[in-house]
Amino acid sequence: MAQIDLRRKLAVLADAAKYDASCASSGSTKRNSLGGKGVGSTEGMGICHAYTPDGRCVSLLKILLTNFCIYDCAYCINRVSSNVERARFTVEEVVDLTLAFYRRNYIEGLFLSSGVIRNGDYTMEQLVEVARRLREDHDFRGYIHLKLIPEADARLVELAGLYADRLSANIELPRDEALGRLAPEKDARTIRKAMGQVRLKLEEARPERRDRKRPPAFAPAGQSTQLIVGADGAPDTEIMARSASLYGGYGLRRVYYSAFSPIPDGSSLLPPTKPPLMREHRLYQADWLMRFYGFSAPEIGEGADDGMLDLAVDPKLAWALRRREAFPVDVNKAAREALLRVPGLGVKAVDRILSVRRYRTLRLQDVGRLTRSIEAVRPWITALDWTPGGLTDAADLRARLAPRAKVEQLSLF
């Protein structure tokens, strides 16, 4: 294999890591300090932003240890049969890069994933060794997110959790059958087993009140996973059901959704075109409803047609349009759970309504001050001076509330 310099490795392995959505790039404008103009060029290679559990936005060096891989997953750009440029960092190179970027204040942490080389244990050992050297040899206090190799030994998973802030094993596809067909070397049961190991270790690391000695911290930012959307024909309702089972069964902090993107020399088993990005957006909105608004996956599915979320309106509005008998909701009397289901009212607005109505009776104008659009809320609530009358059941209500489609320039070719 031809030797390539460190700069080229960084370009190849940072680009290969962009397909992992669990650390989404901010897409910020590149700044160039080459030629003595200014100070602090990052060139955008490998820098992404992620959010910590306390809401802080941190910049991460997001790279793969290597894009060599012994697996041949049909949907992966780094599969063994893919004709892409290959590169591999040594453990020392990743450690040195992380420290150099950190000292220049480019990053606050590291997101490290890898293709599988030799076997799962060897690859996981390399990832863990990077984290160990950063923590123990250099006393690195920054954020570390390690991608788990599900086939790796449980001892390595445990070590990874002791050094990393967050761990993640990608569930890959919503359907187990599709995973066996498109990624024959992978096993959904093995992936779930790795998630289960992390959950058990997370629970063991929680100190009881009676414990005088706190157990060692284990992945304090929890674990996450990623689903590819649109590669296996699974409808949105099935994807949401899978996410709900992952949240409930493995205590995940986040499920990330990544719209399938056709890759060069792709398999005939995959669809030729990518799904609309709006579908990915609607799934994130539905996921938000499950985590913060008390919706179950079947309830969100009530607003879907043939299992697919409405791309024209958000899932909460789609559900309300199908369940109009649950409205209008009295903002002065309704419980928090009922207010959270009103389209146009977010968690903060609901909490402020509950706070304000302790000392005054709310009018429509008061609610309007707490929301971005009173027009979106008007059909679903009653207030001291407002009742929607027949507006809630109006036949053209969906057309009134759906955002107007943007005018697009037609292609001439």
Side-chain angles (χ1 to χ4, degrees):
M1 183 185 71
Q3 296 293 319
I4 60 176
D5 62 23
L6 187 61
R7 186 185 181 87
R8 184 60 194 160
K9 287 184 184 179
L10 182 59
V12 172
L13 295 172
D15 184 70
K18 70 184 179 185
Y19 297 97
D20 200 311
S22 56
C23 285
S25 170
S26 67
S28 60
T29 305
K30 297 176 183 177
R31 298 177 186 275
N32 194 335
S33 64
L34 295 178
K37 297 178 181 178
V39 176
S41 172
T42 63
E43 298 190 22
M45 287 193 298
I47 306 293
C48 75
H49 291 118
Y51 289 90
T52 60
D54 59 2
R56 288 179 300 116
C57 179
V58 296
S59 302
L60 301 179
L61 174 61
K62 179 180 176 181
I63 53 175
L64 298 187
L65 183 68
T66 178
N67 63 346
F68 285 99
C69 190
I70 60 175
Y71 292 165
D72 199 24
C73 306
Y75 48 80
C76 181
I77 190 73
N78 298 318
R79 67 189 187 280
V80 66
S81 59
S82 177
N83 187 28
V84 296
E85 183 179 5
R86 305 285 180 173
R88 177 180 174 180
F89 283 127
T90 65
V91 169
E92 292 78 8
E93 286 173 335
V94 177
V95 171
D96 292 344
L97 272 175
T98 304
L99 294 174
F101 274 57
Y102 189 81
R103 287 169 180 148
R104 287 170 174 79
N105 205 26
Y106 292 166
I107 61 167
E108 296 168 80
L110 170 69
F111 173 90
L112 185 61
S113 183
S114 178
V116 178
I117 44 178
R118 296 192 191 179
N119 54 54
D121 282 349
Y122 176 78
T123 308
M124 197 70 231
E125 284 175 357
Q126 298 285 296
L127 298 176
V128 170
E129 181 61 9
V130 170
R132 187 199 68 75
R133 291 194 190 184
L134 284 170
R135 294 292 195 217
E136 294 186 350
D137 297 349
H138 301 279
D139 197 22
F140 182 70
R141 307 293 180 90
Y143 181 87
I144 297 178
H145 180 159
L146 286 185
K147 188 66 70 177
L148 288 179
I149 308 299
E151 300 81 7
D153 189 87
R155 177 184 58 84
L156 292 169
V157 174
E158 184 174 356
L159 282 175
L162 295 178
Y163 296 124
D165 293 279
R166 172 166 283 189
L167 300 175
S168 58
N170 286 347
I171 198 72
E172 310 278 354
L173 296 169
R175 290 175 169 168
D176 291 353
E177 164 274 324
L179 187 66
R181 179 164 43 88
L182 299 175
E185 293 94 350
K186 292 186 175 177
D187 186 342
R189 291 171 298 182
T190 304
I191 299 171
R192 289 196 290 269
K193 182 180 177 182
M195 290 180 174
Q197 290 170 354
V198 174
R199 173 163 192 170
L200 287 175
K201 290 297 177 185
L202 286 169
E203 291 174 350
E204 289 175 6
R206 290 178 189 150
E208 299 290 341
R209 287 187 176 180
R210 61 179 180 275
D211 293 342
R212 293 185 176 181
K213 185 178 180 181
R214 296 176 65 86
F218 183 88
Q223 64 170 328
S224 58
T225 193
Q226 177 176 327
L227 275 169
I228 300 174
V229 176
D232 64 352
D236 293 339
T237 50
E238 193 172 326
I239 293 172
M240 296 313 303
R242 169 53 67 93
S243 297
S245 69
L246 291 172
Y247 282 124
Y250 303 100
L252 297 182
R253 290 287 179 87
R254 286 291 304 273
V255 176
Y256 291 87
Y257 306 92
S258 175
F260 165 70
S261 179
I263 54 180
D265 304 320
S267 167
S268 60
L269 298 173
L270 295 168
T273 58
K274 60 183 180 182
L277 280 178
M278 181 56 76
R279 185 183 174 193
E280 180 184 293
H281 179 61
R282 295 299 183 215
L283 284 168
Y284 273 114
Q285 289 179 318
D287 187 277
W288 199 263
L289 292 181
M290 287 199 298
R291 290 190 295 133
F292 299 105
Y293 287 77
F295 280 81
S296 66
E299 281 181 308
I300 296 170
E302 292 176 9
D305 287 318
D306 297 326
M308 302 299 287
L309 296 174
D310 193 330
L311 298 184
V313 298
D314 67 78
K316 191 176 178 184
L317 177 56
W319 174 83
L321 288 167
R322 297 283 175 87
R323 294 292 305 276
R324 300 192 197 193
E325 72 277 8
F327 300 96
V329 170
D330 188 338
V331 294
N332 289 299
K333 297 179 180 177
R336 185 173 188 272
E337 292 74 19
L339 290 171
L340 283 173
R341 294 180 176 236
V342 175
L345 289 184
V347 173
K348 287 185 178 178
V350 168
D351 288 342
R352 293 185 67 184
I353 287 173
L354 294 174
S355 176
V356 171
R357 77 183 191 187
R358 293 175 185 167
Y359 54 86
R360 65 174 295 175
T361 304
L362 292 161
R363 298 174 180 274
L364 183 63
Q365 189 177 23
D366 300 323
V367 179
R369 294 193 185 98
L370 303 176
T371 62
R372 295 176 63 182
S373 169
I374 191 60
E375 295 303 320
V377 180
R378 197 188 292 263
W380 312 107
I381 64 168
T382 60
L384 180 62
D385 61 343
W386 169 255
T387 178
L391 181 59
T392 307
D393 296 319
D396 63 344
L397 184 56
R398 184 181 186 281
R400 294 189 193 187
L401 298 177
R404 293 182 180 178
K406 294 181 180 177
V407 178
E408 296 183 1
Q409 174 69 50
L410 295 177
S411 173
L412 297 175
F413 305 98

